[in-house]
Amino acid sequence: MASVLIALGGNVGDVRTIFRKAISNICGMTQAGLVARSSDYETPPVGDIPQDNFINAVIEIDTQLDPHALLFTLHRIEHKFGRNRAAEGHWGPRPLDLDMIAYDDVVMLKPELMLPHPGATQRAFVLVPLAEIAPERVIAGKTVAEHLAKLSTEGIVKLPDLD
C-alpha cells in the first residue's frame, strides 16, 4: 500500500458537496482507504483572472494503484464533476481540481506526472490543510510545517465543519 496525499480545490458550484462526493469516488474507484481529511479552507485565487475564492482541502489515502493509474483515475473524477482541463485557462475557475502532492517517497520527473508535486511546497493553499493532517510528513527534504513556516497564510480561512 502507498500513502498518497491529494489536494482538492475548486471555486465553481457547491464545492464542499463536490469534495464529499469526489472523496467517495476516489476511495471507491481506487479501492483506497481514507486515512485523513483536512478541514475545508477558503483561499484567495492565484493569478490575474478575476474569479471567486477557492475552497481547498487535502486528503491522505492508502492505495495499491501505481502513480500513473491513480493520476488517470483522478482526472476521470475531475471530468465527472465538470472539469475540462483542455478548455480552461491556467489558474482559472474550476469545479474540482485534484492534485497528487506525494506518493510515498517516490520521486518522478515525467511530463505527465511529477512527484512530489513541484509547486506544493510553495503554495499556502495546499500546505495549510496539509499541515492540519500531516505536519511532520517530509516532502522535498523538509516537513510540511517547515515549508509552511516560510509562506504567508494571509487570506486563508478555515471553514466550519459541515453537519
Side-chain angles (χ1 to χ4, degrees):
M1 289 290 238
S3 170
V4 183
L5 299 171
I6 300 170
L8 298 90
N11 69 343
V12 174
D14 184 356
V15 175
R16 297 180 86 186
T17 297
I18 291 171
F19 282 5
R20 184 176 46 77
K21 292 177 180 178
I23 291 167
S24 177
N25 274 253
I26 291 167
C27 292
M29 293 172 71
T30 65
Q31 299 173 0
L34 182 63
V35 175
R37 186 205 193 283
S38 75
S39 301
D40 294 336
Y41 290 82
E42 184 174 351
T43 64
V46 175
D48 297 330
I49 299 171
Q51 60 187 310
D52 292 335
N53 283 348
F54 276 76
I55 306 292
N56 291 95
V58 174
I59 61 172
E60 179 181 1
I61 63 170
D62 282 335
T63 184
Q64 292 183 349
L65 285 185
D66 69 71
H68 284 94
L70 179 56
L71 180 67
F72 175 80
T73 303
L74 294 177
H75 286 177
R76 283 185 56 207
I77 293 167
E78 286 179 340
H79 184 74
K80 178 178 180 177
F81 287 95
R83 181 159 187 199
N84 182 346
R85 284 180 170 262
E88 71 187 25
H90 188 62
W91 297 112
R94 59 201 63 181
L96 181 64
D97 182 24
L98 299 173
D99 286 329
M100 198 179 331
I101 302 305
Y103 184 102
D104 277 340
D105 294 326
V106 171
V107 175
M108 183 180 301
L109 300 172
K110 296 192 175 185
E112 69 280 5
L113 179 59
M114 294 204 263
L115 291 168
H117 190 290
T121 59
Q122 292 101 40
R123 297 176 179 165
F125 64 85
V126 172
L127 292 175
V128 168
L130 184 52
E132 180 185 322
I133 64 170
E136 298 305 313
R137 177 84 174 248
V138 175
I139 298 175
K142 294 182 182 171
T143 67
V144 169
E146 288 171 324
H147 287 298
L148 181 57
K150 296 178 180 182
L151 300 176
S152 168
T153 59
E154 184 178 347
I156 297 177
V157 178
K158 183 178 177 179
L159 297 173
D161 291 340
L162 294 173
D163 292 327

